[in-house]
Amino acid sequence: MNLPAPDPARTRRGRLMLVALFLLFFGSAAGAGLLRLSGWMPAGLKNHGELLQPPADLREMRPLLADGTPYEWNPASRTWRIAVAPPAGCAADCGHLLAELDKVWRLFGHNADKVEILWLGALPPGAPALTELRPLRDDGTLRAALPRADDPAGIPLYVIDPNGFVILRYPPQADPAGIRTDVARLLKLK
């Protein structure tokens, strides 16, 4: 049986198509791998705060509320915390920061009951009674466990997960919208 001779143009076109498909598939995977290895991430996936590696572990600490009762981490409640460790004698800056954090908390809407604000030390003079605010007694051990809490530039903020790990740090004068965005993403985690 005699088979017709293969058409060289058709063979070349088929090979080029196979190479193009190979480059399309493996080239896009290689490009994504290079972007990942270079550290690039889309802007929508980046944290506004600094991701702490490793996170500070506060689980063994038993902070006391201002009234002397122990504050429990209670992981089963799935409560996230925004922690503030202001310096002693903080007045105007602390009052402004507390007002900003109250706005952030209100913007969580129906998820607001899953967020608490921990304030380490004395509240600023004339501070309003906020439902989300948990004033803690100033504790040097807890303050020392918060990464770079004594920042000379101002008051840093922290996000603490339901288990008691400090996972994010925000520099002084951080944009409250960034904190809200990061914590809103975390609230979606189950």
Side-chain angles (χ1 to χ4, degrees), residues 135-151:
L136 301 173
R137 287 190 179 173
D138 202 348
D139 178 358
T141 308
L142 178 59
R143 189 177 291 273
L146 297 172
R148 300 181 313 279
D150 56 348
D151 194 324

Side-chain angles (χ1 to χ4, degrees), residues 105 107-116 183-184 187-188 190:
W105 181 79
L107 288 172
F108 289 128
H110 71 281
N111 287 324
D113 61 338
K114 294 294 182 190
V115 179
E116 293 178 345
V183 175
L187 286 169
K188 291 179 184 176
K190 295 294 180 190

Side-chain angles (χ1 to χ4, degrees), residues 7 41-42 44 54 62-63 77 97 107 127-128 139 150 160 164:
D7 181 12
M41 288 185 74
R62 298 288 176 240
S77 70
L97 178 60
L107 288 172
D139 178 358
D150 56 348
I160 303 174

Side-chain angles (χ1 to χ4, degrees), residues 12 18 24 27 41 46 74 83 100 120 142 156 165 188:
R12 188 175 30 248
L18 183 62
L24 182 68
M41 288 185 74
K46 288 185 180 177
N74 192 11
E100 290 293 318
L120 186 60
L142 178 59
F165 288 100
K188 291 179 184 176

